[in-house]
Amino acid sequence: MQLADLPLATVAQQLRAGDLTSVALTEAHLARIAARNPDVRAFVTVTEAQARAAAQAADAAFAAGRDLGVMQGIPFAIKDLIDMAGVPCTYGSRRHAGHVPDRDAVVVARLLAQGAVPLGKVATYEYALVGPSFDQPHPPARNPWNLGHITGGSSSGSAAAVAAGMVRVALGTDTGGSVRSPACYCGVVGLKPPYGALPMEGVYPLSPGLDHLGVMAASVGDAALCLAAMGGPAAEGAHTIRGLNIGYARDWFATDPACDPAVLAALDDTAGALSLLGARVSLTTLPDYPTMEAAGAIILHAEALAHHLAALQAHAAGYGRQAYQSLVSGVRLTDADLAQARQAAVRMRAAMETCLAPFDAVLTGNVLAPAPPFSAFADDRAVWTAMRTLPFNVTGHPVLALPVGFAGGLPLGAQIVGRDTAMLVRIGAALEAATDAGAQRPYLRT
Amino acid sequence: MADPTPTEDRLLTDLSQLGLSLRAAEIAGVLATAQYLERAKGLVAEYLDRENAAC
């Protein structure tokens, strides 16, 4: 196994044992980026100098017997919606071309304080809204499994960078599924902790009532390790799930006409795998999806337009056309509409709690079809893709997205939702160890 | 009760009042989303009515 492909727990162990240096690991990742990023276009800024300096500092700290934290010496990538001091951050928009923040986002500061190694900034859809689009500062990232297909978004570069083996963990944001849907499309793990689990200072807002920070990773264990290092819930990947009670919310997605039969088959197989691992799996239901999506859509569109309205009025030409259209479509939403949707969201959270209460976790669909080709996005209009992600931004529950199969050479994914992040990691790690969907990697230039 | 389904003229008027506009090719897509959001308001209102009735 090459250095850049080592699980982070192994890396952390080898760094502390003196069997590996952060400098060697970082150079392996930078070489991967140099070879693969021209095709995949995940990184929009590679911070080679900062990475090498951080790696040298991490090695020096190890040599001096100083252990700063589990991410010491480990490379990571940052969605270009999240600030790192002194590094360009466009938020995916021409309007912020040349913008260089002077402060780190809190989560970035936490990782850097631990001696983690910043490899650079990875692509985002404009202001975390919609895409792919070709009128941003950078062309859209491509799906490493098929460069003619999209990555999903808005954490497009995070997913593509991890799937392409350029980095093991990348920070993302998730307002309506922006960690989980690209994780699904690109065949990587996406972990969205509970609402409010991570501080949002230094992260460009989309819809503060729904915004979450999250982690995209090459494995469940890697995601859990990075999340805990940022101050999120700690979660060990105990690999036994025997006796756990897992619900399978099949009707919540299977009845959608847009659900690809391959997705349904992969989810059914996943439920079967959980059962074979000793869990008690039973069919269950979740609160009405269209109503939850409706509340989430109102909150998202109303809060996003409120944030951007003055800038839209003053600098409309600075926005990409897809982002502009998405924002202005909320023009008829009133403060009363937003208040009503927020009131509904409170009730929906309670209803979701009731549905989740009998179970340790619930399995359900993520995106309901494989990643579409770029050719489906022939003009500046956004294309609607069926998914089941937004309700968990409305309720704020933690969700683990993980790969569960392939169709036509493209990954398929699932979501595991619950009330306890550690439990999701436990189940995901067991599933990952027992199946091979998460272990497969696309063929790319070395 | 949700507002009436927005028409193209009404959408463009609402935008104009905020100093915003759309290109001709963009109107249909934005109108579709605005109409979805109008239906969403109806779904949320009905949900709250049911919840309140159940209390």
Side-chain angles (χ1 to χ4, degrees):
Chain A
M1 186 176 281
Q2 297 185 13
L3 284 184
D5 298 319
L6 288 173
L8 296 190
T10 303
V11 166
Q13 191 176 36
Q14 292 191 2
L15 287 170
R16 281 159 182 78
D19 296 333
L20 173 66
T21 65
S22 177
V23 167
L25 180 66
T26 299
E27 291 301 333
H29 281 284
L30 289 173
R32 277 276 177 86
I33 294 168
R36 296 180 177 179
N37 200 55
D39 286 337
V40 177
R41 303 190 302 216
F43 278 84
V44 297
T45 303
V46 181
T47 52
E48 289 184 51
Q50 291 94 328
R52 289 188 169 116
Q56 288 168 0
D59 286 338
F62 280 128
R66 286 188 289 125
D67 195 328
L68 304 172
V70 70
M71 282 290 288
Q72 181 174 340
I74 293 178
F76 71 106
I78 306 164
K79 182 178 182 178
D80 204 29
L81 201 75
I82 304 169
D83 290 345
M84 179 176 166
V87 177
C89 192
T90 68
Y91 312 121
S93 179
R94 293 191 312 263
R95 199 164 73 85
H96 281 91
H99 171 64
V100 180
D102 57 8
R103 299 180 66 176
D104 294 325
V106 171
V107 288
V108 171
R110 287 178 178 176
L111 290 175
L112 295 178
Q114 288 200 15
V117 175
L119 291 177
K121 306 300 288 293
V122 283
T124 175
Y125 288 173
E126 186 168 6
Y127 297 122
L129 282 160
V130 288
S133 54
F134 289 85
D135 54 0
Q136 294 182 242
H138 309 280
R142 294 161 156 169
N143 194 312
W145 291 94
N146 184 329
L147 298 176
H149 286 244
I150 73 164
T151 58
S154 64
S155 304
S156 51
S158 305
V162 172
M166 293 189 270
V167 66
R168 293 284 299 187
V169 286
L171 309 189
T173 62
D174 190 318
T175 301
S178 287
V179 160
R180 291 162 286 150
S181 61
C184 180
Y185 277 157
C186 293
V188 302
V189 170
L191 182 54
K192 181 190 84 66
Y195 180 77
L198 293 172
M200 299 299 292
E201 287 91 344
V203 182
Y204 198 90
L206 172 56
S207 173
L210 305 174
D211 288 342
H212 294 63
L213 270 161
V215 181
M216 333 254 317
S219 72
V220 175
D222 287 359
L225 185 147
C226 185
L227 179 64
M230 287 194 293
E236 292 290 328
H239 282 203
T240 178
I241 59 169
R242 184 165 297 282
L244 293 185
N245 203 4
I246 299 176
Y248 178 25
R250 189 178 192 272
D251 285 352
W252 207 54
F253 69 95
T255 55
D256 189 326
C259 182
D260 190 308
V263 171
L264 180 55
L267 265 291
D268 285 349
D269 287 348
T270 302
L274 291 168
S275 180
L276 287 171
L277 288 167
R280 291 191 300 272
V281 179
S282 53
L283 290 172
T284 189
T285 57
L286 295 176
D288 182 59
Y289 176 77
T291 309
M292 299 196 78
E293 183 189 71
I298 292 168
I299 294 169
L300 197 160
H301 280 276
E303 291 187 345
L305 181 57
H307 178 79
H308 282 276
L309 182 57
L312 284 168
Q313 290 167 326
H315 310 288
Y319 285 82
R321 294 314 296 179
Q322 280 196 42
Y324 181 90
Q325 291 173 72
S326 176
L327 288 166
V328 304
S329 63
V331 68
R332 303 193 75 246
L333 295 173
T334 65
D335 289 346
D337 297 330
L338 177 58
Q340 196 167 49
R342 286 172 171 162
Q343 184 186 356
V346 172
R347 304 281 186 93
M348 288 169 179
R349 177 172 178 79
M352 186 67 80
E353 279 285 322
T354 301
C355 291
L356 296 175
F359 302 103
D360 293 297
V362 169
L363 169 73
T364 194
N366 185 341
V367 185
L368 303 187
F374 279 102
S375 58
F377 301 79
D379 51 31
D380 284 335
R381 282 179 298 177
V383 174
W384 184 257
T385 46
M387 56 185 75
R388 289 295 182 271
T389 51
L390 182 54
F392 305 119
N393 298 87
V394 173
T395 67
H397 285 92
V399 188
L400 177 70
L402 75 175
V404 293
F406 291 86
L410 291 163
L412 308 173
Q415 294 185 103
I416 302 173
V417 60
R419 294 169 295 159
D420 175 20
T421 307
M423 179 59 73
L424 305 184
V425 168
R426 178 178 169 186
I427 295 168
L431 196 57
E432 186 177 70
T435 58
D436 66 353
Q440 299 189 44
R441 292 290 176 264
Y443 178 78
L444 291 163
R445 297 180 201 203
T446 53
Chain B
M1 188 70 183
D3 291 344
T5 301
T7 61
E8 179 177 321
D9 286 346
R10 191 161 174 172
L11 173 69
L12 294 176
T13 300
D14 290 343
L15 286 171
S16 175
Q17 287 172 350
L18 291 175
L20 303 170
S21 61
L22 286 172
R23 296 172 184 171
E26 297 171 343
I27 293 171
V30 174
L31 182 61
T33 305
Q35 289 173 340
Y36 164 74
L37 290 170
E38 214 64 44
R39 292 194 300 276
K41 287 193 267 184
L43 278 175
V44 167
E46 289 168 13
Y47 171 78
L48 287 172
D49 285 346
R50 283 197 306 273
E51 287 285 304
N52 291 332
C55 289

